[in-house]
Amino acid sequence: MADRYIEVSLVKRGITCTAQLLDDRAPITCAAVWDALPLGGDVYHAKYARNEIYALFPPFATSEPPLENPTVTPIPGDLCYFAFAGAELGTKAYGYDREVRPGTTLVDLALFYERNNLLLNGDVGWVPGTVWGRITEGLEAMAEACNDLWRTGAAGETLSFRRA
C-alpha cells in the first residue's frame, strides 16, 4: 500500500499541517479514519494530557477499532485515537456543554504538539490511545497555534482532518 497523508487544520487560525497515516502500525484505525474523512469539529485543549488538542466525533467505524500501536506517552507530532463512553466524560470537570451525555459514545481524535505528555487521568487512571498518524510537515507552526489556543481560548475554532 502506498503511503497515505492527511491535512490537519485549525480552520479559524488558518494553520495546516500534513500527517502520514501509520497503516503498518495501526491498520484498522487508519482505515476507519480514512474512510470517515473529512471530519471537523470544535477543538478543545487538553486539561490532563498537557500538550494536546482534540475534537470529539460520533463513532464512525462499523465496529470500534481495537487498541493498536498504543501509547500513554505521546510525542510531538503523534495523532491519537480514543473512544469514550459519554458517562466517562459527562461530568462538569471536563467542561463539555453539549455532545457528551451518558449513553453516548465519542471518538476523540487528538494531535500532540509538544513533549512531556502523559495520558493519566485522575478520574480513571491510565488512558492508552492508538497512535495512527505522525505529523511530517508543519508541526512547528501548528505548535505555535496550539499554544495560542491554550492562551487565548478555543471558542469558535475548528479542528479538521481531510485527505491530502
Side-chain angles (χ1 to χ4, degrees), residues 97-149:
D97 59 356
R98 55 184 183 280
E99 65 267 338
V100 180
R101 294 177 308 283
T104 63
T105 299
L106 294 167
V107 171
D108 170 333
L109 294 183
L111 180 155
F112 290 84
Y113 63 89
E114 188 50 79
R115 299 174 38 128
N116 299 322
N117 303 296
L118 187 62
L119 301 178
L120 180 61
N121 180 305
D123 294 337
V124 297
W126 296 105
V127 183
T130 293
V131 181
W132 60 274
R134 160 181 65 234
I135 303 297
T136 57
E137 294 177 30
L139 181 58
E140 187 174 322
M142 180 60 76
E144 287 180 28
C146 292
N147 275 316
D148 178 64
L149 188 132

Side-chain angles (χ1 to χ4, degrees), residues 44-104:
Y44 296 93
H45 196 287
K47 281 182 154 182
Y48 299 106
R50 197 162 179 186
N51 300 298
E52 171 196 7
I53 62 168
Y54 61 96
L56 300 173
F57 303 98
F60 46 75
T62 53
S63 63
E64 187 58 41
L67 185 61
E68 303 177 285
N69 196 27
T71 190
V72 292
T73 56
I75 62 173
D78 278 352
L79 297 179
C80 290
Y81 177 106
F82 305 89
F84 296 105
E88 292 176 275
L89 302 179
T91 68
K92 290 187 184 241
Y94 295 99
Y96 304 115
D97 59 356
R98 55 184 183 280
E99 65 267 338
V100 180
R101 294 177 308 283
T104 63

